[in-house]
Amino acid sequence: MEKFDRLTAPPAPLSLANVDTDMIIPARFMKALSRSGLGRHLFQELRYAADGAERGDFILNRGPCRHARILIADRNFGCGSSREHAVWALADFGIRCIVAPSFGDIFSNNARKNGLLLIRLPEAACEELRDAVTRAQYAPITIDLVEQKIRLASGEAIAFVVDPDDRRTLMEGLDDIARTLRHEAAIACFEARA
C-alpha cells in the first residue's frame, strides 16, 4: 500500500449528503476482479448523461477538479452497502483523502484497508472548507498527516485528529497482511510450539 504522509493536490468540493456506495460506483460496474479501471465509472450517474456525455455541472468534470486527489464531502459519505469497490473506484480515480463530517462504518474500514485517508471535521467546518476552496478556484491544498493539519492556499491551517493506529498504518503504508507480517517471528515461534 502506498504510504501517506503529506499530499498537496487540487481539492474537489462535493456538497451532497448521504452519498452511498451505489452512487460512488454503481453495481453494474463491479463485475471485474481487478481494481484498475473502476475510476472511469466513479460517480457514473452524476458525471455522465445517459448518452455517455460528461455533465459539465459535476465538479469532477471541471477544471482542476478533473485531477482532484482530495474530496471535501458532506455528512454520511460512503453509507449503504459494504462494497469495497467504492474505495477502489475512488483510489483508481486518484482520490487519496476525503474530508467529511461522517462516513459509513463499513466504508471507513474499507478505506483504511486500502490507504484512503478519511478526515472527520464538524459539518460547519466542512461547509466552510468547501466554500474556501471554491473561492480559491480549487487551488491545491496540503493534507499533512504528520502534523495532522490541512493547509489551504490562503495559508490558513485546520487541525484534525486521526485514530493513532489508522495514522500509523497509513504513514507506514501497511495493509492488513503487512501488519500481520510485522509479527512473523512471533507467529513462527508459536507455530513451532504447536
Side-chain angles (χ1 to χ4, degrees):
M1 194 164 72
E2 185 180 348
K3 293 181 180 181
F4 190 118
D5 52 11
R6 286 178 191 87
L7 170 66
T8 300
L14 184 63
S15 300
L16 291 174
N18 303 311
V19 172
D20 66 24
T21 53
D22 192 56
M23 190 181 295
I24 296 169
I25 182 79
R28 67 184 181 277
F29 299 112
M30 294 176 22
K31 297 174 186 166
L33 299 177
S34 171
R35 298 175 188 202
S36 64
L38 291 173
R40 72 175 161 259
H41 301 295
L42 178 69
F43 298 117
Q44 178 77 23
E45 309 303 327
L46 297 172
R47 284 173 62 200
Y48 304 104
D51 65 359
E54 281 190 356
R55 295 180 190 268
D57 61 342
F58 187 64
I59 192 65
L60 294 179
N61 291 337
R62 290 191 267 157
C65 294
R66 288 180 173 277
H67 308 288
R69 302 204 63 207
I70 302 160
L71 195 59
I72 305 164
D74 206 339
R75 67 188 177 282
N76 203 24
F77 187 89
C79 58
S81 69
S82 61
R83 63 186 69 168
E84 193 169 9
H85 290 71
V87 173
W88 294 351
L90 287 157
D92 191 57
F93 182 85
I95 302 294
R96 289 292 321 271
C97 176
I98 302 174
V99 181
S102 58
F103 299 93
D105 289 338
I106 297 171
F107 178 84
S108 295
N109 289 331
N110 288 335
R112 181 190 52 78
K113 291 178 183 181
N114 288 280
L116 181 62
L117 173 61
L118 302 183
I119 297 174
R120 289 167 181 79
L121 290 178
E123 200 165 331
C126 287
E127 187 174 341
E128 289 172 18
L129 186 54
R130 287 191 299 271
D131 289 345
V133 300
T134 301
R135 283 192 309 274
Q137 299 179 342
Y138 318 109
I141 64 173
T142 299
I143 305 294
D144 188 333
L145 186 55
V146 177
E147 294 186 19
Q148 296 188 84
K149 292 191 179 192
I150 300 170
R151 299 186 196 289
L152 304 181
S154 66
E156 179 185 356
I158 301 166
F160 64 87
V161 177
V162 174
D163 175 84
D165 188 49
D166 289 351
R167 182 173 175 259
R168 185 177 70 250
T169 297
L170 286 163
M171 290 179 66
E172 293 178 19
L174 302 173
D175 61 15
D176 285 348
I177 294 170
R179 290 174 68 183
T180 301
L181 289 177
R182 290 187 310 178
H183 307 287
E184 189 172 16
I187 293 168
C189 183
F190 175 81
E191 288 177 341
R193 285 185 274 168

